[in-house]
Amino acid sequence: MSISLGLQGPCVIARLTGDFDFGSAAEVRDRVTKALDLTQPPMLVIDMQAVSVCDSSGLSVLVYLHKAVTASGGKLLLSGLNGRCKHLFAITALDKFFDIRTTAELAIAELSEEGNSPPFTG
């Protein structure tokens, strides 16, 4: 598993490549969790376009990250789910739990717009 982390506007972008499984789940969790401190509230895009395999350990990390981000008042979007991952999310009903966009660019644009909204002053 390769993890590329970056910052684009108000968003932390995590691009995952390879097998998101028991062998890589802890590293993904730890590295992405540390990166969440870069923005407040955390706005996270996890791009899974290049993920070849995702197992229950990977799904568990995604649920953990979702809870961490939303508990801090932020938002997490997944992007680029391919055929196998898309099927896994459908059969586990996680496609209803997560906000999923077709591309990372769409997810980044959406979160950037939210992150630049003026605060409510009413």
Side-chain angles (χ1 to χ4, degrees), residues 1 9 21 25 31 50 65 72 94 121:
M1 166 67 57
D21 56 14
R31 289 188 58 198
L65 291 170
S72 298
L94 287 174
T121 57

Side-chain angles (χ1 to χ4, degrees), residues 69-121:
V69 167
T70 55
S72 298
K75 188 166 182 180
L76 180 150
L77 295 178
L78 298 179
S79 68
L81 293 181
N82 61 34
R84 291 179 80 183
C85 288
K86 193 179 231 180
H87 179 70
L88 178 63
F89 275 71
I91 64 172
T92 58
L94 287 174
D95 59 343
K96 307 288 188 259
F97 178 76
F98 286 101
D99 289 322
I100 302 169
R101 302 298 177 267
T102 54
T103 67
E105 292 71 28
L106 286 173
I108 292 164
E110 182 178 326
L111 291 183
S112 293
E113 192 171 298
E114 287 185 26
N116 292 328
S117 298
F120 179 72
T121 57

Side-chain angles (χ1 to χ4, degrees), residues 13 16 22 39 78:
I13 315 304
L16 308 181
F22 181 78
T39 61
L78 298 179

Side-chain angles (χ1 to χ4, degrees), residues 5-83:
L5 291 167
L7 193 58
Q8 187 168 339
C11 305
V12 172
I13 315 304
R15 296 185 192 273
L16 308 181
T17 303
D19 295 347
F20 191 10
D21 56 14
F22 181 78
S24 61
E27 181 183 5
V28 173
R29 183 193 65 232
D30 294 346
R31 289 188 58 198
V32 175
T33 299
K34 287 177 187 169
L36 293 179
D37 292 335
L38 296 173
T39 61
Q40 288 303 317
M43 299 290 192
L44 175 62
V45 174
I46 300 178
D47 182 13
M48 297 183 57
Q49 181 176 356
V51 171
S52 50
V53 172
C54 184
D55 71 5
S56 61
S57 298
L59 294 179
S60 177
V61 167
L62 294 174
V63 171
Y64 168 85
L65 291 170
H66 183 274
K67 288 180 179 181
V69 167
T70 55
S72 298
K75 188 166 182 180
L76 180 150
L77 295 178
L78 298 179
S79 68
L81 293 181
N82 61 34

